[in-house]
Amino acid sequence: ETVERSDDRRTDCCSRGELAEIMRGGSGEIGTLGEQTGQPFVRPAAQLVGEGPEPTRRCHPSYAIGPLHAAGPRVTGVELHHGAATDVGLVREVNEDAFLVAPPVFVVADGMGGHDRGDIASAIVVEEFRRLADAGYDPARGPAVVAETFLGCQARIADYDAGQRAQGARDFHAGTTAVVALLIEQSGEPKWLLANLGDSRVYKFNHGRLEQVSVDHSLVQELVDAGTITASDALVHPERHVITRALGGSGSTDADFFVLPLSAAERLVLCSDGVSGMIDDRHIEGILAAAEDPRDAADQMVAAAVAAGGRDNATAVVVDVVGLAAETPYDSERQRVSLEEKLGALP
């Protein structure tokens, strides 16, 4: 079991250089460490070392996703709109959440163990999946690709732990949850592959209805499944922060996988328990129904979690499937010249 408790947090922190080394460069968008209570931070990796301003919200309004593997299997392009937001909350000193928006790969990770532990572990997850997005992957091997990436995350976190213990840190264990959404291909059609470890969640929103897809890997979820407590009891249970699977430590790192047709989810939501633990599913559903723009939806979910008490870091990524996009864009000028050549208007 991995336990996230506020009294485990440490006030000392790693240097900007150390963190920048963990999350160096690359495409996509990475949400990282917000150090001022109540202020959302969503920053590209380059800005971790102080390059440029620190915007309160960043996201790509749309993406037309082409082939996932330039020299191998191809997947039909999917146009996505997406937004993301994160906030340190009103209690925590440091934001240990991290997220990745690098279409067609989306990740939320909720670090555990205190600063220079949880935030580093979640940053490692984001970097490993960003590397996957940058390099491309075989969309026919989605579960295997994600499992291999999780193994890489686990190995790096273990190496980091060993390094800290070698420097004198006793009982040093960093850990993080992870929830992942990426596009794959099955039977020639693009689909969502979803994976989770821990109690960060993925929801689908379709025809105005919200449904949780992932199953929490937590002690209270096991008690709910066994009929020992109710879902309402779980929200206030004293051991609601005890999780049974995570990256880091010696517990289980076996992820759950789910495959969804694109038509089954107009909108996907990935969030840390700083959102789902502060506002209930009905509240989230109302926000998603009212906010057409995924950027607004992500902002409002995080703001609502903070307004409800902000007892934990809060992070949300919202992804809308807009439709299929042509792999080769329509070139009107080329089509005109081709037609004139056929009609003899050009030599």
Side-chain angles (χ1 to χ4, degrees):
E1 295 179 350
T2 303
V3 185
E4 179 185 17
R5 301 188 188 280
S6 59
D7 57 0
D8 288 337
R9 305 188 61 75
R10 296 175 52 184
T11 56
D12 58 318
C13 64
C14 60
S15 66
R16 290 262 180 185
E18 181 182 356
L19 188 58
E21 174 63 22
I22 290 175
M23 298 186 65
R24 58 189 180 277
S27 65
E29 193 165 336
I30 301 172
T32 56
L33 308 177
E35 293 145 353
Q36 297 179 17
T37 299
Q39 179 165 351
F41 284 87
V42 182
R43 292 183 284 178
Q47 293 180 4
L48 290 174
V49 291
E51 299 175 10
E54 296 177 340
T56 58
R57 181 181 75 177
R58 290 282 300 274
C59 75
H60 305 284
S62 65
Y63 253 81
I65 306 305
L68 302 183
H69 205 286
R74 302 168 72 87
V75 66
T76 304
V78 178
E79 186 177 358
L80 305 172
H81 290 190
H82 48 85
T86 190
D87 195 290
V88 70
L90 302 177
V91 176
R92 303 285 188 173
E93 296 174 356
V94 173
N95 195 343
E96 296 179 61
D97 286 359
F99 70 82
L100 176 68
V101 172
V105 180
F106 303 87
V107 178
V108 168
D110 179 359
M112 300 167 292
H115 186 40
D116 86 352
R117 299 185 186 196
D119 54 343
I120 300 300
S122 62
I124 286 172
V125 172
V126 163
E127 187 186 53
E128 289 300 308
F129 277 94
R130 178 179 53 76
R131 183 178 290 114
L132 174 68
D134 288 348
Y137 57 91
D138 182 348
R141 296 184 62 250
V145 166
V146 173
E148 290 163 3
T149 306
F150 278 149
L151 287 175
C153 295
Q154 180 75 357
R156 286 190 59 190
I157 293 171
D159 288 345
Y160 177 69
D161 283 353
Q164 294 300 306
R165 289 194 292 270
Q167 296 176 25
R170 296 181 178 179
D171 299 323
F172 191 97
H173 295 289
T176 182
T177 71
V179 61
V180 179
L182 74 164
L183 289 175
I184 62 168
E185 186 173 90
Q186 285 189 348
S187 303
E189 296 183 359
K191 296 182 179 180
W192 282 116
L193 174 67
L194 312 173
N196 77 291
L197 275 165
D199 59 358
S200 294
R201 292 181 177 179
V202 57
Y203 293 91
K204 66 175 183 175
F205 182 76
N206 216 33
H207 303 300
R209 298 292 299 274
L210 181 73
E211 181 180 345
Q212 183 179 339
V213 178
S214 59
V215 177
D216 294 351
H217 299 143
S218 66
L219 177 61
V220 293
Q221 183 62 53
E222 292 182 355
L223 294 175
V224 170
D225 292 343
T228 306
I229 64 174
T230 67
S232 298
D233 294 335
L235 296 175
V236 295
H237 195 280
E239 296 189 349
R240 62 187 177 278
H241 296 303
V242 178
I243 64 174
T244 55
R245 299 190 211 175
L247 292 167
S250 58
S252 173
T253 58
D254 294 333
D256 289 340
F257 292 89
F258 309 86
V259 175
L260 289 182
L262 298 188
S263 59
E266 300 170 5
R267 175 171 278 184
L268 284 181
V269 175
L270 286 67
C271 67
S272 63
D273 70 331
V275 172
S276 58
M278 295 304 304
I279 57 176
D280 61 23
D281 288 2
R282 185 173 181 180
H283 194 164
I284 296 173
E285 183 179 85
I287 291 172
L288 296 175
E292 294 185 4
D293 191 320
R295 296 170 295 184
D296 295 334
D299 282 347
Q300 291 171 25
M301 286 177 60
V302 169
V306 174
R311 291 193 299 269
D312 201 352
N313 310 143
T315 300
V317 172
V318 180
V319 186
D320 290 352
V321 177
V322 179
L324 298 181
E327 292 187 12
T328 303
Y330 179 75
D331 187 334
S332 60
E333 178 62 20
R334 185 178 64 184
Q335 295 296 324
R336 183 191 64 81
V337 171
S338 175
L339 179 61
E340 289 178 345
E341 287 177 342
K342 290 178 181 178
L343 295 177
L346 294 176

